[in-house]
Amino acid sequence: MGQNYTFEVGERMDNFRFYVPTDVRFGKDRLEEELTDVLDAYGKTVLLAYGGGSIKKNGLYDQITKLLEANGNTVVELSGIEPNPRTETVDRGVALCREHQVDVILAVGGGSTIDCAKVVAAGFYFDQSAWDLVLARRTFAGPALPLVTVLTLAATGSEMNSGAVISNLATNQKLGVGAASMIPKASFLDPQNTFTVPQYQTAAGSADILSHLFENYFKVTEGTDVQDGIAEGLMKTVIKNCPIALKTPDDYDARANLMWASSLALNGLTGGGKGGAWSCHPMEHELSAFYDITHGVGLAILTPRWMEYILSDTTVGKFQQFAHNVWGITETDPFTAAKKGIQATYDFFKACGIPMTLPEVGIDEEKLEIMAEQAVKHSTIEKAAYVPLTAADVTNIYQECLTESSFI
Ligand code: NZQ
Ligand code: ZN
């Protein structure tokens, strides 16, 4: 990997389990030949879960319902799954599955649809409400109905992981839950299904992929060349291909690379062996919980400010490595290189058309402190993050997001 960088914090690579049994069917036009075979392994009664209607506009709904009809499936629909899916929608899905004794769930959409479907799948066997299941967080270990996905937006990695994030707007909570039983059995990843993703969501999804990579890359663990080298390659892939997809939405290679990067960024490949808490996600989930904003946009706003806030003698080596290997910055002075890398990250998000201040997404000073307290309460950011953050630190980072920034 060329140059050596000095890290002053660190533990060696942790033990880890890499268990990703999802049968990935990547590429063009595979549904016609393969979808019903995959579903038939689990049964004939299918819950078709989808969002607010994008799949009706782009023809995917018609294509899939025709295939299921020709195959003699009984189809029950859970429609209208919201971006930042609501716990009430999960309850509605669970009720449908019980009423119709569903055998398998087919989720067609982005991360919100897939996340909702995961918790519906587990909720089927769970005798309390969906929200009680979410409150179990990562300790949940119950069974789930089999889930098959058709991904339509490159962003979350939900198509190939065990996690789901559900919102409860009544309590201003947005929390993650996950279990091995919720990992999709199969996922169809056809880049053509992302050609219709609007620019704003393409940019937000790319920011989310990058954030998953950053969250794993900036950890105290040392000696993780495999994970960090893969992460750098995936970061460069997103940085190269997002602008192409923004300019030419039907560029197959750009969409294909973003799609596969989405899955690999959060399936354990770059995070296995690197313990500790994430930083920007807990802070972002509060912005979404209180203001229902787009997840990737919140992450893009927070990330460069967080990077600058935690830059210190202890962390500068890793930021220098990031600047050199990801952004191609040749500056040799560690702090100058690090700051140029942070500036490049900010400029990239801005050039992708992402609003880079909180007021632009409707967030002012009013709730910053309460959101900061909740971010600390709902995570281990205060104890186990790359650089541990108190509620006061989180408030400071939010405040930096109120106006435009310059890092050099
Ligand atoms: O609802 P429809 O009509 O389908 O429209 C969606 C939605 O408005 C639209 N869209 C999706 N595919 C499209 C399309 N529009 C046109 N053409 C297509 N092909 O895009 C909008 C956003 O969709 P959504 O599913 O909300 O986006 P995303 O995939 O970014 O998912 C975000 C959710 O996932 C959670 C986030 O917190 C958020 O709730 N996350 C899930 C994770 C996981 N399961 O591992 C990890 C992430 O860090 C994240 O927290
Ligand atoms: Zn994310």
Side-chain angles (χ1 to χ4, degrees), residues 52-54 84 111-112 115 152 158 161 163 174 193 196 212 281 285 295:
S54 70
N84 300 327
S112 294
D115 284 5
T152 67
S158 189
N161 70 33
K174 177 176 178 179
N193 289 335
T196 54
H212 298 155
H281 274 68
H285 282 173
H295 173 62

Side-chain angles (χ1 to χ4, degrees), residues 281-351:
H281 274 68
M283 292 193 278
E284 194 295 311
H285 282 173
E286 299 309 323
L287 302 180
S288 298
F290 281 79
Y291 292 94
D292 199 19
I293 67 164
T294 299
H295 173 62
V297 169
L299 291 169
I301 295 171
L302 288 164
T303 297
R305 280 72 178 220
W306 164 75
M307 288 176 163
E308 184 190 48
Y309 194 82
I310 64 160
L311 181 62
S312 70
D313 289 339
T314 309
T315 61
V316 69
K318 191 73 180 193
F319 279 104
Q320 185 190 12
Q321 177 185 343
F322 170 66
H324 286 182
N325 291 355
V326 176
W327 294 109
I329 288 163
T330 52
E331 174 68 51
T332 50
D333 175 66
F335 272 96
T336 311
K339 286 180 185 173
K340 284 189 173 177
I342 297 170
Q343 185 71 47
T345 308
Y346 181 87
D347 293 345
F348 172 77
F349 289 141
K350 208 168 160 64

Side-chain angles (χ1 to χ4, degrees), residues 206-219 227-228 230-238 261-262 264-266 269-271 274 278 281 322:
S206 298
D208 193 23
I209 301 170
L210 283 173
S211 180
H212 298 155
L213 296 164
F214 296 157
E215 299 275 28
N216 289 330
Y217 186 80
F218 293 104
K219 286 271 179 74
Q227 293 89 326
D228 294 354
I230 292 171
E232 287 169 356
L234 291 171
M235 289 175 205
K236 285 198 281 192
T237 298
V238 176
S262 148
L264 297 185
L266 192 51
L269 190 59
T270 70
K274 304 191 69 170
W278 285 14
H281 274 68
F322 170 66

Side-chain angles (χ1 to χ4, degrees), residues 4 82 121 125 147 170 184 189 198 201 204 219 243 265 272 287 322 348 357:
N4 286 321
E82 313 81 0
Y125 295 106
L147 169 66
L189 271 50
Q201 292 294 341
K219 286 271 179 74
L287 302 180
F322 170 66
F348 172 77
T357 65

Side-chain angles (χ1 to χ4, degrees), residues 36 39-40 43-46 67-75 104:
T36 52
L39 291 171
D40 282 350
K44 282 288 184 192
T45 305
V46 178
L67 285 171
L68 296 179
E69 194 185 330
N71 191 50
N73 290 98
T74 301
V75 179
V104 53

Side-chain angles (χ1 to χ4, degrees), residues 11-28:
E11 297 158 11
R12 311 317 300 184
M13 196 192 296
D14 301 337
N15 295 359
F16 65 95
R17 181 181 186 201
F18 183 69
Y19 175 70
V20 192
T22 306
D23 177 354
V24 173
R25 308 285 177 112
F26 193 99
K28 284 182 186 172

